[in-house]
Amino acid sequence: MIYNITAATGHLGVKIVEEALKYIDPKNLVVTVRNPEKALPFQKKGIQVKQANYRSESAMANAFKGTDVLIYIPSLTFPSVARIMEFENAILAAEKTGIKQFIFIGFMADHGNNPFKMSPFFGYVQRRLASGTVPFTYIRNGMYSDPLPPYLPEISKRGKVLYPVGDERISFISRKDLAKAIVQIALKQELHGNEYTLTGPKAWSMTELAELLSQISGTSIFYDPLSNEEFAALYDEPKGFGPVLVSLYEAAAKGLMAEVTKDFESITGEAAEDLSIYIEREYRNLP
């Protein structure tokens, strides 16, 4: 079996490759990347590196040749219509090259009533996969916990958690844990063809998160949310991204980011790491 991982030099892609190497011989691994130079460390380990841009169907078809299982990580391209065209190129390439299993790595903010401005993309993906000819598995990731430890010094300095979520909760999971589950799904054919929502063991209110961050940092941190407009203005980097980012927290404020499932445990045989343990360790290891 040949396993091909797209966007393999990104934050999640690197974790997936590292996890895959625990189970898969490098000669059976392919990474499809936009910039092959960034993938030189993989090449040195014996992994085949193929170059392809999501904007080129022909390049992706060449990169997918010989692939049995494709792990597709979408780009962060915005607006959704541009991202949809990238995905369309990928699915057409997968259909032409006879991919046996297309594993799509998505996000839980995909509901029909979700205000997250990148959500329309996921709605298209689900229906395109269902109406296509390639066997597929659809994965919905919870919110990454990875940005929280490096953000903690700033939160500690402010003394506030600012996310405009109100009394609702957010479900977090680390990229490392996501990689564990994704690789097991790729390896086990009995897990193919399903939809999975990968989350941590609980969803956290922002008050609980503030208390946790206080304990870990040794500083007083409270939940004092900004308005949507204030948050979008404060985190408008790159320029124009603020409204996109705040729309994610609008979704959370509607209770749409609080899902918790047992999918990770049923796939891996163990519970996902608790957010408190994850942040404590990663914060202590900050450079």
Side-chain angles (χ1 to χ4, degrees):
M1 295 283 283
I2 301 298
Y3 300 85
N4 194 328
I5 303 165
T6 72
T9 56
H11 293 302
L12 179 59
V14 167
K15 298 293 186 186
I16 293 174
V17 174
E18 290 173 350
E19 183 69 16
L21 284 170
K22 298 176 183 179
Y23 303 92
I24 302 170
D25 192 303
K27 70 175 183 292
N28 293 326
L29 272 178
V30 178
V31 294
T32 296
V33 297
R34 184 177 59 182
N35 184 352
E37 289 186 7
K38 288 187 176 181
L40 285 176
F42 298 150
Q43 196 169 30
K44 291 177 181 178
K45 293 179 180 179
I47 298 172
Q48 186 176 2
V49 176
K50 294 189 177 183
Q51 192 278 333
N53 190 304
Y54 283 164
R55 297 179 183 177
S56 171
E57 178 193 329
S58 61
M60 297 189 84
N62 287 332
F64 293 171
K65 284 178 182 176
T67 295
D68 296 299
V69 177
L70 178 71
I71 298 175
Y72 181 85
I73 304 172
S75 75
L76 291 176
T77 299
F78 186 78
S80 287
V81 65
R83 207 177 185 197
I84 286 169
M85 292 311 300
E86 292 180 348
F87 174 75
E88 187 65 22
N89 288 333
I91 195 65
L92 288 172
E95 289 172 344
K96 289 178 180 179
T97 54
I99 297 291
K100 297 181 177 66
Q101 183 65 204
F102 191 113
I103 299 177
F104 177 82
I105 311 302
F107 187 41
M108 66 163 58
D110 59 1
H111 318 82
N113 64 336
N114 199 300
F116 181 38
K117 293 185 183 298
M118 299 180 93
S119 183
F121 167 69
F122 300 109
Y124 178 83
V125 166
Q126 289 173 309
R127 288 153 184 79
R128 178 63 177 86
L129 287 169
S131 63
T133 60
V134 178
F136 70 93
T137 300
Y138 187 82
I139 298 175
R140 306 168 72 240
N141 292 343
M143 187 86 86
Y144 292 147
S145 53
D146 303 59
L148 287 171
Y151 183 37
L152 182 47
E154 179 182 334
I155 296 175
S156 180
K157 186 176 181 179
R158 292 181 183 276
K160 299 177 182 179
V161 169
L162 303 175
Y163 304 125
V165 176
D167 295 329
E168 293 295 341
R169 295 172 174 267
I170 295 178
S171 181
F172 296 94
I173 186 169
S174 71
R175 291 187 180 101
K176 184 175 181 180
D177 271 350
L178 287 171
K180 286 182 182 179
I182 290 165
V183 168
Q184 289 306 307
I185 291 168
L187 290 171
K188 299 175 180 177
Q189 292 188 31
E190 65 270 23
L191 297 177
H192 293 175
N194 299 309
E195 178 179 301
Y196 301 100
T197 300
L198 302 177
T199 72
K202 66 168 281 186
W204 292 72
S205 73
M206 297 304 94
T207 299
E208 290 174 337
L209 181 62
E211 291 172 353
L212 173 63
L213 298 180
S214 293
Q215 293 169 9
I216 292 173
S217 66
T219 60
S220 295
I221 299 173
F222 301 93
Y223 180 43
D224 186 16
L226 297 175
S227 68
N228 289 345
E229 295 75 18
E230 290 169 333
F231 192 90
L234 181 62
Y235 292 104
D236 192 30
E237 182 64 40
K239 185 68 175 176
F241 187 70
V244 178
L245 180 61
V246 81
S247 71
L248 179 59
Y249 295 104
E250 288 182 64
K254 291 179 177 289
L256 298 175
M257 298 299 297
E259 294 176 68
V260 174
T261 78
K262 294 285 188 181
D263 287 354
F264 180 91
E265 189 171 351
S266 68
I267 292 163
T268 65
E270 60 187 57
E273 187 172 40
D274 187 86
L275 184 66
S276 61
I277 298 172
Y278 174 81
I279 295 179
E280 173 79 36
R281 181 187 66 249
E282 298 301 316
Y283 178 65
R284 301 304 173 203
N285 290 332
L286 286 176

